[in-house]
């Protein structure tokens, strides 16, 4: 599966477009639609087209991770929500999460919503943007 336009729009809405590199709350240099990596450094600037290209390239990695870790058949919206989560918190966190256990046990379990909503903290402090993002992912997942 690949991320639908609805999934991409959710990611874009919460990542926001930044054409100049900045440090995110987690302390990583970030640019575009939430792109991080060794190619992002202070002072870097890009165009909107480059930001879109970076997002599409980044999504492949997270789509592959979700596809590899999820052992059950997902609907498109479920896949999109999990890709958004993984884009935000990383493959390692998805892999060790109760969220993934619940999805693999029963992808329609209502408890999955609660598991998404546990992932709202940076440095043990809840972050309003993460609370809103998790709520949007839950809404997408169950739509």
């Amino acid at each position: 599966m690949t991320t639908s336009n609805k999934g991409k729009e959710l990611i874009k809405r919460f990542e926001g477009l930044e054409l100049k590199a900045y440090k995110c709350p987690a302390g990583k240099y970030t640019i575009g639609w939430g792109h991080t990596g060794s190619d992002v450094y202070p002072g870097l600037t890009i165009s909107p087209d480059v930001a879109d290209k970076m997002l599409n390239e980044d999504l492949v990695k997270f789509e592959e991770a979700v596809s590899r870790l999820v052992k059950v058949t997902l609907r498109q919206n479920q896949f999109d929500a999990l890709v958004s989560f993984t884009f935000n918190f990383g493959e390692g966190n998805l892999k060790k999460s109760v969220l993934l256990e619940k999805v693999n046990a029963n992808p329609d379990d209502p408890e999955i919503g609660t598991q998404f909503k546990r992932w709202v903290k940076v440095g043990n402090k809840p972050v309003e943007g993460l609370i809103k993002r998790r709520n949007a992912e839950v809404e997408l997942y169950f739509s």
Side-chain angles (χ1 to χ4, degrees):
M1 288 181 102
T2 59
T3 308
S4 73
N5 286 335
K6 190 183 286 187
K8 286 181 187 178
E9 289 307 315
L10 185 146
I11 291 168
K12 285 181 171 184
R13 178 168 30 122
F14 287 100
E15 292 295 337
L17 177 59
E18 294 289 342
L19 300 178
K20 185 174 180 179
Y22 68 98
K23 265 194 179 177
C24 73
K28 295 180 182 180
Y29 278 102
T30 306
I31 199 162
W33 301 106
H35 175 78
T36 61
S38 60
D39 58 335
V40 184
Y41 51 87
L44 176 65
T45 60
I46 60 171
S47 69
D49 287 342
V50 170
D52 287 342
K53 183 176 184 272
M54 288 175 155
L55 175 62
N56 289 329
E57 289 170 355
D58 289 343
L59 282 174
V60 171
K61 176 175 68 170
F62 298 110
E63 291 164 349
E64 288 174 353
V66 170
S67 295
R68 187 174 57 257
L69 294 170
V70 173
K71 306 301 182 194
V72 295
T73 302
L74 296 174
R75 293 185 300 278
Q76 184 68 54
N77 288 347
Q78 293 171 322
F79 180 81
D80 289 350
L82 288 166
V83 169
S84 174
F85 173 88
T86 307
F87 188 98
N88 186 224
F89 267 101
E91 177 181 350
N93 283 317
L94 177 64
K95 187 175 184 174
K96 67 181 183 182
S97 71
V98 175
L99 169 62
L100 180 63
E101 289 176 27
K102 296 283 185 185
V103 168
N104 279 330
N106 174 6
D108 296 317
D109 183 348
E111 176 64 20
I112 290 167
T114 302
Q115 293 305 316
F116 267 104
K117 292 177 183 182
R118 292 182 63 219
W119 293 86
V120 296
K121 295 180 181 177
V122 173
N124 290 326
K125 293 184 181 181
V127 175
E128 187 63 31
L130 291 177
I131 293 167
K132 290 178 180 177
R133 184 173 185 155
R134 296 293 92 83
N135 287 333
E137 289 166 351
V138 169
E139 185 177 318
L140 178 61
Y141 186 93
F142 287 105
S143 66

